Amino acid sequence: MNALVKPETDIPFEATPTHAVNELESWFDALKRAYRQEPMPSFSQRKQRLLALKKQLSRYQDVLAQAMSDDFSGRSVTESKMADVLAPILDINHVVRHLKSWMKPRRRATELMFKGNKLELRYQPKGVVGIICPWNFPIYLSVGPLITALAAGNRCMIKMPPNCPRTSQILRQMLSEIFPQDLVCVVDGTHPQAMQISHLPFDHLVFTGSPTSGRVIMANAAANLTPVTLELGGKSPAIVLDDFDINQAAQRIAHGKGFNAGQICIAPDYAFVPQAKMAAFVAALKQAHSKMYRQLSGNQDYTSLVDEVQYQRFHQLLEDAREKGAEITQCLEYGDGRQTPLYVVTQLTPQMRICQEEIFGPLLPVHGYQDVQEVVDYINQRPRPLACYLFSHDEAQREQILAQTHSGGVTINDWGWHVMNHSVPFGGIGNSGIGNYHGEEGFRELSHARSVLLMRDWFPISLFSPPYGRLIQKLVLRLFVGKADRNL
């Protein structure tokens, strides 16, 4: 068995398995049997399930926020409610408004030679969807894919992270009150690692975590030809152009690094600012962080690093940068336990780990630049990120950067908020992910698009059967294919 790892960091930690693999297979078989008995839930069934989930999220909001705070040894209740409760409720609202139209068969035009027959596209549930959830947003990143899967008519098995035991317990309790286990099955985080579940022959598998773990998940799924959606994070840049107010940019980027203590896949991972404004930007970041949080000790608005492993990794990154000549600015004093302030790092070199690895914490490397093309080249020489943040009022320059770079999504003049808008898909590209969920695109991803052609009784299809060489066949070939080149 592979070592148990945290999906976001691939750092091992110990946990005691509480379920045997044959139990997982038994639960999976129950989901498959139930799906075969109800392969096409109606719109009203899907809507009822989604509204029941919305009601539970509202009812359980305080309990969920407290559970996540317990697991983190201190997590902002407001941020928990915004990200892990409000966001999925907004998602449900959008899905319920549009689901009926998404489910309708779509008429498609036939080829001219089949004119008069009926061709349509029908979206049917794939079956049983596996969801492997990380620890950083344990409700949003489990319930979010669940919403899309239920909207598409699927049944689900959710594997929770091992270091969020209290949250896993509450989620299981919350869902068991509205869904039978053969509709939604929640697997404890202390189950043997995600690699065990990814061996099951799901009809689709959704994984959120690191690119390293994503490659293993994808390889395991490939054995069953299971399609995957991978949301994998990466190093998302924040680019401040010369026309944008440096203090406003610093305030918004500081919020992105402070939200959940930077433990978020779409957090600004590093920043580019005009070289002449580097000192002003660092000072503005420190001021913005101080203004938002004042002091960390006793501050319930500021989240802790989730556990000792994450805490140690963060300081190893920081020390590596210090040893390699970085200039480091600490923005506040440490708080209680693992409450860690924002650090701003300049004088960077490519050899530093913070320039190579996704940081996943309150640390921001800042690069200076002379020309915007330097920024574009830097981004394009590296794996494609999950997000990109452009700070500029110059539409021409914004469009130039958007045209020349790739990322999963973009927010202009702020960070991260595109993910809270559920009419657009959420997902990565290349190293930052495959596929998406949210919105109509997510519904399509977790549905099978089935082509259905109805041939009319009167249609003379026999004209295209042997014996070949008849006039109508020759005319069709001449009309659509044209003349062959006899000189070849």
Side-chain angles (χ1 to χ4, degrees):
M1 187 188 304
N2 295 324
L4 192 65
V5 298
K6 290 194 227 174
E8 288 292 351
T9 64
D10 299 300
I11 296 174
F13 62 88
E14 296 179 0
T16 303
T18 60
H19 303 97
V21 174
N22 63 350
E23 287 183 299
L24 285 182
E25 293 173 350
S26 174
W27 295 334
F28 178 78
D29 289 343
L31 288 162
K32 294 290 283 187
R33 285 194 302 271
Y35 172 71
R36 286 193 292 269
Q37 293 168 6
E38 187 188 75
M40 182 64 80
S42 66
F43 166 71
S44 60
Q45 286 176 300
R46 302 182 198 193
K47 179 179 177 181
Q48 181 273 326
R49 290 167 181 172
L50 291 168
L51 292 179
L53 178 56
K54 176 182 173 180
K55 183 177 179 181
Q56 288 296 82
L57 286 166
S58 179
R59 288 183 62 230
Y60 271 80
Q61 60 181 290
D62 291 339
V63 181
L64 287 168
Q66 185 58 55
M68 287 181 278
S69 185
D70 291 344
D71 286 333
F72 275 70
S73 298
R75 191 181 197 236
S76 168
V77 168
T78 300
E79 290 182 356
S80 288
K81 289 187 177 184
M82 287 180 63
D84 287 277
V85 179
L86 172 62
I89 285 177
L90 294 176
D91 193 2
I92 291 171
N93 291 343
H94 178 78
V95 170
V96 168
R97 279 197 302 271
H98 298 279
L99 181 57
K100 195 169 188 176
S101 66
W102 295 347
M103 291 176 63
K104 289 180 180 178
R106 303 294 174 95
R107 288 294 297 268
R108 295 293 176 92
T110 64
E111 296 290 350
L112 181 60
M113 60 185 290
F114 290 99
K115 193 74 172 175
N117 296 297
K118 182 181 178 182
L119 180 63
E120 64 183 18
L121 200 59
R122 299 183 182 183
Y123 293 95
Q124 64 180 156
K126 285 192 170 182
V128 179
V129 174
I131 299 169
I132 300 175
C133 173
W135 52 262
N136 58 322
F137 289 94
I139 298 301
Y140 189 40
L141 296 176
S142 58
V143 171
L146 174 64
I147 292 166
T148 303
L150 291 176
N154 299 292
R155 294 171 182 264
C156 296
M157 178 181 286
I158 302 172
K159 192 272 181 190
M160 293 298 287
N163 53 344
C164 292
R166 180 62 177 153
T167 305
S168 301
Q169 178 187 358
I170 297 300
L171 179 67
R172 190 186 326 105
Q173 175 184 319
M174 182 185 86
L175 295 181
S176 69
E177 293 176 1
I178 55 172
F179 300 139
Q181 192 170 351
D182 63 2
L183 176 60
V184 179
C185 175
V186 179
V187 179
D188 287 344
T190 50
H191 187 282
Q193 56 142 332
M195 309 314 174
Q196 294 294 325
I197 290 182
S198 63
H199 287 292
L200 293 174
F202 288 107
D203 299 297
H204 197 102
L205 185 60
V206 180
F207 170 79
T208 304
S210 73
T212 302
S213 292
R215 290 184 180 92
V216 178
I217 294 294
M218 192 172 184
N220 293 344
N224 296 306
L225 296 180
T226 296
V228 295
T229 298
L230 305 176
E231 191 273 278
L232 304 178
K235 295 184 73 61
S236 299
I239 307 164
V240 183
L241 298 188
D242 196 42
D243 70 292
F244 200 85
D245 182 80
I246 204 76
N247 294 303
Q248 190 176 67
Q251 191 278 326
R252 294 175 181 181
I253 293 171
H255 179 235
K257 293 304 288 188
F259 195 95
N260 206 40
Q263 299 166 113
I264 175 171
C265 56
I266 57 169
D269 192 88
Y270 62 94
F272 268 102
V273 299
Q275 186 69 47
K277 296 182 177 179
M278 284 275 288
F281 182 70
V282 172
L285 281 169
K286 183 173 183 178
Q287 182 180 11
H289 187 71
S290 300
K291 184 177 180 180
M292 281 188 288
Y293 303 110
R294 300 183 185 276
Q295 67 174 36
L296 300 190
S297 182
N299 190 337
Q300 296 184 359
D301 288 339
Y302 197 76
T303 296
S304 299
L305 296 181
V306 67
D307 58 23
E308 191 62 26
V309 175
Q310 182 74 356
Y311 185 80
Q312 292 298 328
R313 176 183 177 270
F314 177 87
H315 287 91
Q316 288 166 5
L317 292 175
L318 192 63
E319 188 57 32
D320 174 80
R322 193 189 314 274
E323 290 174 354
K324 291 172 181 173
E327 183 175 322
I328 298 173
T329 301
Q330 180 177 332
C331 296
L332 279 176
E333 296 300 317
Y334 277 72
D336 303 324
R338 295 186 297 274
Q339 282 185 313
T340 305
L342 174 64
Y343 283 88
V344 184
V345 184
T346 56
Q347 302 297 324
L348 303 168
T349 65
Q351 293 74 30
M352 295 175 184
R353 288 178 60 189
I354 59 172
C355 294
Q356 300 173 3
E357 303 175 25
E358 184 178 4
I359 292 169
F360 227 70
L363 189 159
L364 183 72
V366 180
H367 301 263
Y369 70 89
Q370 300 286 352
D371 184 84
V372 172
Q373 192 59 45
E374 297 174 38
V375 180
V376 170
D377 292 344
Y378 184 94
I379 293 170
N380 287 338
Q381 290 163 5
R382 286 156 179 78
R384 292 173 174 177
L386 184 58
C388 181
Y389 305 118
L390 303 179
F391 292 83
S392 176
H393 300 296
D394 186 329
E395 184 176 0
Q397 279 207 303
R398 293 198 313 244
E399 291 302 319
Q400 178 186 354
I401 294 172
L402 288 175
Q404 293 182 5
T405 61
H406 289 82
S407 65
V410 176
T411 290
I412 296 174
N413 298 337
D414 213 319
W415 78 280
W417 297 112
H418 61 284
V419 178
M420 290 280 281
N421 288 273
H422 295 91
S423 63
V424 292
F426 172 53
I429 178 172
N431 196 66
S432 61
I434 297 171
N436 54 70
Y437 49 93
H438 292 182
E440 184 173 0
E441 289 81 1
F443 173 84
R444 307 289 178 223
E445 175 122 342
L446 297 187
S447 301
H448 170 58
R450 193 180 198 185
S451 303
V452 179
L453 174 65
L454 173 63
M455 297 294 290
R456 308 295 187 184
D457 289 343
W458 53 262
F459 190 79
I461 193 65
S462 61
L463 293 174
F464 300 104
S465 300
Y468 297 125
R470 287 179 286 172
L471 177 62
I472 187 65
Q473 297 163 352
K474 291 179 179 178
L475 289 174
V476 168
L477 288 171
R478 175 62 62 89
L479 176 65
F480 290 103
V481 180
K483 292 183 177 181
D485 186 344
R486 302 299 182 185
N487 297 318
L488 294 178

